[in-house]
């Protein structure tokens, strides 16, 4: 028998029992006369004590032990003389009579402790060792718990978990596909799903009514901290529903998870905001509502004072940073550099300080009198002690830049507390997005998203103005999920494809299966997908989704542990009839 208990289980109540534990050696301490061994498994750590007066055989075994050796130890549970209140097993130890080495270990390349000396790449290369560390292990345990709660909630609501295929053909979610060559169908390729979108809609046609799946999705995109080439969605679809039904069902799921996982109760409904309000008030479609600092458009109030920057700007927009009037030259320079970073993209930053002594100091003193600036400050809702930060330029660059500055100020002012949650539904996205380069419309969400019925007539006159029956769940400035009511009418779907520049033949070739299904009684339907990895990182309080993925890829899309991607054998290429082109 390997174990009677786990390494996290024994307490004072077990004193006197004979037990056997198995696990990894975390540490061996020889204190002259006594040797202490910390043995660890997934459940915790228990201290083993070996008295030097023990049998030679035991002494030899203990002598040999090194870090991460796998051992089995048998002995009696005793009360510890000096207790460790930091761990649940800290009141007891095992007086060992036998230790068996089950397996040796090389010295690990980094210390397997909560705080490790291993760098990112090294820990990714030896991910199986990193997974032994508490912070990483706990992240996966959290993921597991969230997955179980998702299943519990959705099962109760009559959702059926259905698996959909991975070897499919291109799905239009707007990213590049990963493709897989087919050996049996030479010259042809599968694509890995960017999401199960079309399949879940087909399940609605099939009468499944309420579907969900915790499913891998694959998108060949450039990577950032919160992106992975393969990621997981909680993918859902419902039939015979309107937008309200979908929102309330999944607001219910979000509330269930918050209550079960975080112990946070939301008594009120989640806030709703239109896409256009989100853009005008926060400069982005996923505003962080843990703090205010709404935008104030002052374009019409600041022109005509010979300040070229404002006079020539399409938009002049500002925020009020509360209590920041005492910002120093250095701090303001930092903010200017911040907005000028290429990722933020503003040319410069205008500030107005409403100082405590009632005077005003600003970077535009030359053009505006103190009275004029005071009036501007009042219009922006600022009071004494506040700092106005104003950006000017082209509207579509200025709003996003100010959005970044707002987030930066929120961070600086400590207004983005990880333990505060501000959920929000953003609704009424535009259906179509014009692309200047290719001179055509793209679907903002995907081509199966239904327009809001009142806007359908705009397909003829002003397609860009059509609002989509789409919604995103945003929490703390992170897009956690998104979905839409779908088109279920063949004619409307054809119109949508036309608006996207597909000929009838192209639409038929790519999505014939769906259009055909719609001819056999497609019910009204809609759904949503949540980014499961992001949801985990939101609940876990880490910025990076990698921490919640057992075996993640690095920023260049590599798995450095198994060293993938990698070349394949000439034989395999031949079988697939693939010839590689040398650059
Ligand atoms: N398939 C969509 C996505 O991955 C979500 C949805 O519309 O349900 O974004």
């Amino acid at each position: 028998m390997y174990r009677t208990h786990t390494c996290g289980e024994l307490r004072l109540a077990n004193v006197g029992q004979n037990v056997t534990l198995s696990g990894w050696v975390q540490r061996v301490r020889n204190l002259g006369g006594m040797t202490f061994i910390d043995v660890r498994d997934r459940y915790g750590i228990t201290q083993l004590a070996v008295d030097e007066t023990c049998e030679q055989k035991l002494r030899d075994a203990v002598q040999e032990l090194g870090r991460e050796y796998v051992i089995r130890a048998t002995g009696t549970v005793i009360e510890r003389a000096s207790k460790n209140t930091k761990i649940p097993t800290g009141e007891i130890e095992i007086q060992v009579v036998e230790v068996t080495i089950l397996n040796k270990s090389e010295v690990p390349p980094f210390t397997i402790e909560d705080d490790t000396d291993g760098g990112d790449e090294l820990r990714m290369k030896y991910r199986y060792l990193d997974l032994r560390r508490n912070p990483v292990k706990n992240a996966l345990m959290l993921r597991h718990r969230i997955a179980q709660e998702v299943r519990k909630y959705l099962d109760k609501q009559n959702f059926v978990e259905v698996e959909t295929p991975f070897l499919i053909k291109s799905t239009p979610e707007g990213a590049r596909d990963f493709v897989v060559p087919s050996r049996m169908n030479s010259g042809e390729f599968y694509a890995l799903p960017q999401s199960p979108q079309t399949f879940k809609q087909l399940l609605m046609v099939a009468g499944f009514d309420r579907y969900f799946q915790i499913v891998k999705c694959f998108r060949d995109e450039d990577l950032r901290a919160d992106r992975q080439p393969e990621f997981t969605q909680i993918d859902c679809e419902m039939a015979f529903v309107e937008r309200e039904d979908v929102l309330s069902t999944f607001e219910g799921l979000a509330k269930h998870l918050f209550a079960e996982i975080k112990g946070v109760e939301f008594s009120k409904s989640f806030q709703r905001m239109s896409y256009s309000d989100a853009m005008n008030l926060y400069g982005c479609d996923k505003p962080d509502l843990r703090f205010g600092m709404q935008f104030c458009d002052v374009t019409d109030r600041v022109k005509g004072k010979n300040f070229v920057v404002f006079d020539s700007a399409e938009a002049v927009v500002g925020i009020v940073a509360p209590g920041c009037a005492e910002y120093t030259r250095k701090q303001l320079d930092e903010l200017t550099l911040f907005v000028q970073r290429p990722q933020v993209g503003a040319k410069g930053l205008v500030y107005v300080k409403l100082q405590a002594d009632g005077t005003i100091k600003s970077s535009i003193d030359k053009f505006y009198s103190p009275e004029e600036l005071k009036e501007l400050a009042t219009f922006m809702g600022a009071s004494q002690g506040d700092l106005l930060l104003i950006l000017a330029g082209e509207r579509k660059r200025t709003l996003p830049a100010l959005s970044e500055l707002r987030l930066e100020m929120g961070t600086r002012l400590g207004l983005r507390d990880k333990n505060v949650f501000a959920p929000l539904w953003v609704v009424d996205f535009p259906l179509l997005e014009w692309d200047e380069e290719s001179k055509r419309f793209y679907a903002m969400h995907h081509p199966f998203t239904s327009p809001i019925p009142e806007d359908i007539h705009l397909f003829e006159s002003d397609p860009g103005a059509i609002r989509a029956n789409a919604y995103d769940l945003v929490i703390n400035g992170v897009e956690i999920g998104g979905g839409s009511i779908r088109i279920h009418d063949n004619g409307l779907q054809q119109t949508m494809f036309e608006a996207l520049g597909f000929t009838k033949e192209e639409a038929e070739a790519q999505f014939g299966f769906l259009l055909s299904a719609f001819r056999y009684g497609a019910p009204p339907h809609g759904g949503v997908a949540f980014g499961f990895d992001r949801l985990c990182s939101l609940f876990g309080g880490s910025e990076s989704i990698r921490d919640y993925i057992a075996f993640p890829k690095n920023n260049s899309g590599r798995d450095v542990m198994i060293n993938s991607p990698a070349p394949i054998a000439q034989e395999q290429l031949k079988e697939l009839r693939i010839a590689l082109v040398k650059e």
Side-chain angles (χ1 to χ4, degrees):
M1 194 212 292
Y2 284 114
R3 54 183 176 186
T4 56
H5 295 80
T6 70
C7 298
E9 202 176 341
L10 297 167
R11 302 284 185 274
L12 275 181
N14 302 96
V15 165
Q17 290 177 11
N18 279 327
V19 298
T20 300
L21 303 183
S22 286
W24 287 262
V25 172
Q26 168 108 4
R27 217 177 291 124
V28 181
R29 286 175 319 251
N30 193 323
L31 298 184
M34 287 294 275
T35 300
F36 294 102
I37 305 153
D38 286 340
V39 63
R40 159 181 27 84
D41 64 10
R42 183 189 128 188
Y43 305 91
I45 286 191
T46 301
Q47 177 164 292
L48 311 177
V50 181
D51 196 327
E52 218 162 60
T53 58
C54 67
E55 278 177 42
Q56 186 64 35
K57 199 173 134 217
L58 177 57
R59 266 214 306 262
D60 291 346
V62 169
Q63 198 79 84
E64 207 190 319
L65 295 182
R67 273 162 57 196
E68 301 309 312
Y69 272 47
V70 187
I71 61 167
R72 175 178 54 194
T74 299
T76 312
V77 183
I78 58 169
E79 184 170 355
R80 267 205 220 181
S82 62
K83 298 194 168 57
N84 178 354
T85 52
K86 289 201 192 103
I87 56 171
T89 60
E91 292 186 298
I92 56 98
E93 63 191 11
I94 314 295
Q95 197 167 39
V96 173
V97 292
E98 192 185 351
V99 167
T100 314
I101 294 175
L102 301 175
N103 212 342
K104 294 181 181 182
S105 170
E106 288 183 17
V107 176
F110 51 87
T111 52
I112 301 180
E113 307 262 354
D114 289 6
D115 290 317
T116 177
D117 52 356
D120 271 357
E121 282 287 295
L122 191 66
R123 287 189 290 119
M124 285 200 29
K125 179 157 183 215
Y126 296 92
R127 184 71 173 172
Y128 47 89
L129 295 180
D130 207 24
L131 285 167
R132 288 183 190 166
R133 293 173 52 239
N134 280 323
V136 192
K137 179 192 74 192
N138 291 341
L140 284 198
M141 297 304 293
L142 176 72
R143 185 183 176 105
H144 164 76
R145 273 187 53 222
I146 299 174
Q148 299 317 306
E149 289 302 333
V150 167
R151 292 204 161 91
K152 226 197 281 174
Y153 176 88
L154 292 177
D155 179 54
K156 255 207 196 119
Q157 304 274 333
N158 262 335
F159 281 80
V160 184
E161 189 167 6
V162 182
E163 286 165 86
T164 51
F166 279 172
L167 296 175
I168 64 166
K169 76 179 185 186
S170 193
T171 43
E173 302 281 353
R176 231 177 258 117
D177 288 321
F178 281 104
V179 294
V180 180
S182 165
R183 179 186 56 80
M184 287 196 285
N185 304 275
S186 177
E188 296 188 312
F189 294 81
Y190 300 101
L192 300 179
Q194 293 184 33
S195 88
Q197 185 59 38
T198 49
F199 287 95
K200 65 175 173 177
Q201 292 191 243
L202 293 173
L203 285 168
M204 294 305 111
V205 179
F208 273 80
D209 191 41
R210 290 180 163 214
Y211 140 95
F212 88 100
Q213 184 179 192
I214 299 183
V215 62
K216 274 287 173 72
C217 300
F218 306 86
R219 297 184 191 179
D220 188 359
E221 294 177 296
D222 293 333
L223 305 178
R224 296 194 308 248
D226 62 344
R227 285 220 180 128
Q228 285 274 307
E230 50 178 309
F231 61 97
T232 306
Q233 283 189 345
I234 305 168
D235 191 46
C236 311
E237 196 75 6
M238 305 167 81
F240 304 115
V241 286
E242 294 175 330
R243 183 168 88 184
E244 274 318 307
D245 303 307
V246 179
L247 296 193
S248 74
T249 302
F250 293 101
E251 188 164 316
L253 171 63
K255 285 179 173 171
H256 174 79
L257 295 178
F258 270 113
E260 293 301 319
I261 306 290
K262 298 298 285 183
V264 173
E265 303 279 347
F266 290 95
S267 51
K268 290 206 217 95
S269 291
F270 291 178
Q271 196 179 328
R272 308 258 178 106
M273 192 183 291
S274 71
Y275 170 86
S276 73
D277 279 352
M279 294 307 285
N280 290 330
L281 296 174
Y282 301 97
C284 76
D285 61 2
K286 41 177 197 287
D288 184 345
L289 294 192
R290 281 173 296 183
F291 64 104
M293 270 192 231
Q294 285 185 354
F295 291 10
C296 188
D297 190 322
V298 295
T299 317
D300 295 336
R301 307 187 72 93
V302 294
K303 298 221 176 204
K305 300 285 169 189
N306 293 327
F307 181 42
V308 191
V309 175
F310 283 178
D311 285 349
S312 64
E314 183 192 356
V316 183
V317 191
I319 52 172
V320 178
C324 294
E326 303 310 318
Y327 259 39
T328 60
R329 175 85 254 158
K330 184 165 161 271
Q331 283 171 305
L332 291 164
D333 286 348
E334 271 171 21
L335 291 181
T336 305
L337 285 176
F338 175 86
V339 298
Q340 288 172 335
R341 282 164 30 176
Q343 314 91 292
V344 180
K347 292 211 178 73
L349 173 68
V350 167
Y351 69 81
V352 180
K353 292 172 164 190
L354 310 178
Q355 300 181 120
D357 61 4
T359 61
I360 289 191
K361 201 162 175 237
S362 96
S363 53
I364 47 173
D365 288 343
K366 266 197 245 133
F367 305 96
Y368 299 85
S369 69
E371 290 68 39
E372 283 166 336
L373 291 175
K374 219 168 242 165
E375 219 173 279
L376 182 69
T378 310
F379 177 73
M380 288 178 67
S383 19
Q384 212 160 305
D386 293 346
L387 170 69
L388 313 185
L389 297 169
I390 301 169
L391 298 181
E394 222 187 326
R395 193 171 180 80
K396 72 169 198 280
R397 291 180 73 101
T398 305
L399 295 187
L402 191 59
S403 167
E404 292 298 323
L405 180 62
R406 172 181 173 270
L407 292 176
E408 171 68 14
M409 291 312 296
T411 305
R412 282 172 181 246
L413 294 173
L415 301 172
R416 303 178 75 193
D417 184 343
K418 273 184 193 166
N419 298 311
V420 172
F421 297 96
L424 159 77
W425 289 107
V426 178
V427 297
D428 297 345
F429 283 82
L431 184 72
L432 302 165
E433 222 175 356
W434 180 253
D435 180 54
E436 205 39 63
E437 221 166 274
S438 52
K439 299 261 180 267
R440 54 158 281 202
F441 280 112
Y442 282 88
M444 186 136 177
H445 189 44
H446 52 54
F448 315 113
T449 292
S450 168
I452 285 184
E454 308 87 277
D455 289 359
I456 292 181
H457 69 279
L458 293 169
F459 268 115
E460 293 287 320
S461 52
D462 189 3
I466 303 173
R467 285 165 303 163
N469 208 346
Y471 30 79
D472 274 1
L473 177 63
V474 173
I475 305 178
N476 294 359
V478 179
E479 183 199 325
I480 291 295
S484 58
I485 295 298
R486 323 299 183 189
I487 297 169
H488 66 281
D489 171 78
N490 221 328
L492 185 56
Q493 188 63 70
Q494 299 271 15
T495 307
M496 180 68 173
F497 283 137
E498 270 163 41
L500 296 172
F502 284 84
T503 63
K504 227 176 170 160
E505 293 69 35
E506 284 168 340
E508 196 58 44
Q510 213 181 330
F511 302 113
F513 63 97
L514 191 73
L515 294 171
S516 154
F518 282 0
R519 288 196 283 269
Y520 292 94
H525 61 287
V528 67
F530 296 97
F532 185 48
D533 314 282
R534 279 192 198 167
L535 196 64
C536 293
S537 77
L538 176 84
F539 282 136
S542 155
E543 297 275 298
S544 169
I545 62 170
R546 259 195 226 171
D547 298 350
Y548 301 88
I549 297 173
F551 299 104
K553 311 256 184 301
N554 73 5
N555 278 344
S556 359
R558 294 202 76 81
D559 182 325
V560 292
M561 180 183 70
I562 62 173
N563 195 21
S564 163
I568 57 172
Q570 201 54 44
E571 256 328 285
Q572 282 173 296
L573 286 173
K574 219 166 123 192
E575 227 169 32
L576 294 166
R577 294 168 196 272
I578 289 180
L580 299 182
V581 179
K582 289 238 159 62
E583 285 291 323

